Each structure stands twice: as structure tokens, then as C-alpha cells.
Amino acid sequence: MNEWEVDDLVVEVAEHLEGFTPLVRPGHPAYLVGPAGARLVVHPLWNQKGRIRVLGVYPDGSRGVLPDLPRHEITVTATRGARFVAKRIERRLLPSYRPDLVICCERLVDRAAENGGRAEFVETLLTMLPQATLTEKPRETVIRWRLGDASGSFTVYGDTTSSAIEIRAADRELTERVAYAVQHRAM
């Protein structure tokens, strides 16, 4: 099958899959876009004439952020027609893809909330330490600071439920202030 035949097939398959619409653009893979963010990409199998591969894909960038998500794909004989392809997708791909897509979306929402809470906390720390620098990583932010001879870092993890504090060359006053804060936090 060539690219144009796949594009035509996707348009026809969408008619048989409830809630799905075709997304066909020249020079790009053909998609079936469905409810709740479902996206199925359809590729011809070049080494198997008349067959296509249908992959259930997650929202952009999710596989990199959530690498443990399972891959969902099937191959189907396209020469049997759009109705046959739609039935195979309904029976073999969607039952496992849909629940994993829901899990993915929930985890992305949790991750966004986590990142928002961490950004807010980091902003507060940066206002207290105006010349600090920060390094962003996917699940942590590191703030490095220097005041006179003393220097250190705050590493804020995930949703800010845990952090690491490191202080170097602290004088007596700074050490006492940190100890006082720790003492009152422990009570």
C-alpha cells in the first residue's frame, strides 16, 4: 500500500469506528483521532504487501516522560476493507489502549500539578536568595547560592514533599539559624 491508499483507508475506517475522525495531511502519517485524546497512527507495512500497522499513541512527549507505558500496536490485512480494519482495531487494540491512555492522562495531570507546586516553591526560595542560580531537571530543581564565604544548594524534589539542603563554610550564626529552624520544624 502506498501513502495515498493508506490515507483513503483511514478516511473509510473512521466511518466505522464510533467517535473517531480521520486526520490526513500530505507528507505525514495518517491518524484516527478519537475521544479522550485517543490517537491511532496508521502506517503501511512495506515488507508485507496489503498489511498496515496501527499504533495507539499517547499525548506528545508522554513516552519520554513516562517510559513505563506499554506500547499498543496491531497489524491488519488492509485488503479486506475498512469495515474489517475497524473491527480489528475495536477488538484487538482499543480494549488495552484505552485504559492505558486514561492512566497516561491522569499521570500527566499529576505531573503538571507537581511541577506547578515545585515552581511556586522555587520562586519563593529565589526571592529569598536573589543571586541564586537554578538548574531544572524533569523531577527536581537545584538552587545554588552564595552569601559571603558560605554557599550551598537546595534540591527540591517532585511535588516538594522532600528536599535536600547542603551548606558549605557556614559561620556560627548561619549554623544556629538553620539548627533553630530544624528544631522548630521537628516540634
Side-chain angles (χ1 to χ4, degrees), residues 127-147:
T127 58
M128 292 183 198
L129 302 163
Q131 294 184 353
T133 62
L134 65 100
T135 305
E136 292 281 347
K137 295 182 182 175
R139 301 232 18 180
E140 70 181 40
T141 303
V142 179
I143 301 166
R144 290 181 179 76
W145 56 271
R146 176 174 292 286
L147 293 171

Side-chain angles (χ1 to χ4, degrees), residues 1-64:
M1 294 191 84
N2 64 35
E3 186 179 315
W4 301 279
E5 291 171 322
V6 170
D7 291 350
D8 291 343
L9 178 67
V10 165
V11 170
E12 293 173 25
V13 169
E15 295 172 9
H16 300 287
L17 276 176
E18 186 175 331
F20 280 83
T21 58
L23 175 59
V24 176
R25 299 169 296 167
H28 296 278
Y31 285 89
L32 290 160
V33 181
R39 288 187 317 140
L40 308 177
V41 64
V42 181
H43 296 287
L45 288 174
W46 302 110
N47 58 346
Q48 296 178 19
K49 196 171 186 132
R51 291 187 67 79
I52 58 170
R53 173 178 288 130
V54 183
L55 291 128
V57 295
Y58 299 107
D60 292 334
S62 301
R63 294 271 307 164

Side-chain angles (χ1 to χ4, degrees), residues 107-126:
R107 289 171 65 187
L108 289 175
V109 167
D110 292 346
R111 174 75 53 97
E114 175 182 292
N115 290 343
R118 187 171 66 242
E120 196 175 297
F121 181 54
V122 165
E123 186 65 34
T124 301
L125 291 174
L126 287 174

Side-chain angles (χ1 to χ4, degrees), residues 114 117-119 121-122 156-163:
E114 175 182 292
R118 187 171 66 242
F121 181 54
V122 165
V156 183
Y157 300 103
D159 63 355
T160 71
T161 55
S162 68
S163 300

